Amino acid sequence: MAVRAVRGAVQLERDEAGHMDEQVGALLTAVLERNALSADDLISIWFTATPDLHSDFPAAAARKLGIVDVPLICAQELDIEGAMPRVVRVLAHIESDRSRAEIAHVYLGAAAALRKDIAQ
């Protein structure tokens, strides 16, 4: 089994903790489902949030999904002029038999514009 990385992102409509939980939860669920993963396949997850998000830690949504024994960390994205606002990104390290080409990176909603080359 190989160690792989899965990318993803979602743009929030507003900076509210409940909305963040919902949207980040949907993103993580899609990452797991599209890659046929369970929480046991996760090694760690990095979350980043744009500087305009203050309501909660994106990692809290993972804990609410039952991802409780996986190392998680949150960081702030660079504050780049003209960057898409209210975006949470994930970088999940996983164990998988899939090749790099078979990994499904997940960019939900408007965040698909961030990586048109790999967004599903």
Side-chain angles (χ1 to χ4, degrees), residues 24-45:
V24 174
L27 175 61
L28 292 173
T29 299
V31 165
L32 294 173
E33 288 177 356
R34 293 182 192 179
N35 290 286
L37 299 169
S38 71
D40 288 338
D41 300 314
L42 297 169
I43 297 169
S44 63
I45 306 174

Side-chain angles (χ1 to χ4, degrees), residues 66-97:
I67 301 172
V68 295
D69 62 349
V70 175
L72 308 175
I73 192 165
C74 296
Q76 188 177 75
E77 278 290 326
L78 295 172
D79 191 9
I80 304 298
E81 187 175 329
M84 185 179 285
R86 300 177 316 281
V87 174
V88 174
R89 292 173 173 84
V90 299
L91 173 63
H93 300 97
I94 63 169
E95 292 181 321
S96 177
D97 288 328

Side-chain angles (χ1 to χ4, degrees), residues 5-68:
V6 183
R7 289 288 319 269
V10 64
Q11 183 183 39
L12 304 176
E13 294 175 16
R14 59 194 174 278
D15 183 23
E16 294 175 2
H19 181 61
M20 182 179 291
D21 284 345
E22 176 185 295
Q23 295 300 304
V24 174
L27 175 61
L28 292 173
T29 299
V31 165
L32 294 173
E33 288 177 356
R34 293 182 192 179
N35 290 286
L37 299 169
S38 71
D40 288 338
D41 300 314
L42 297 169
I43 297 169
S44 63
I45 306 174
W46 280 74
F47 295 88
T48 64
T50 51
D52 52 1
L53 294 174
H54 309 280
S55 62
D56 203 358
F57 294 100
R63 299 292 185 219
K64 290 176 183 169
L65 285 177
I67 301 172
V68 295

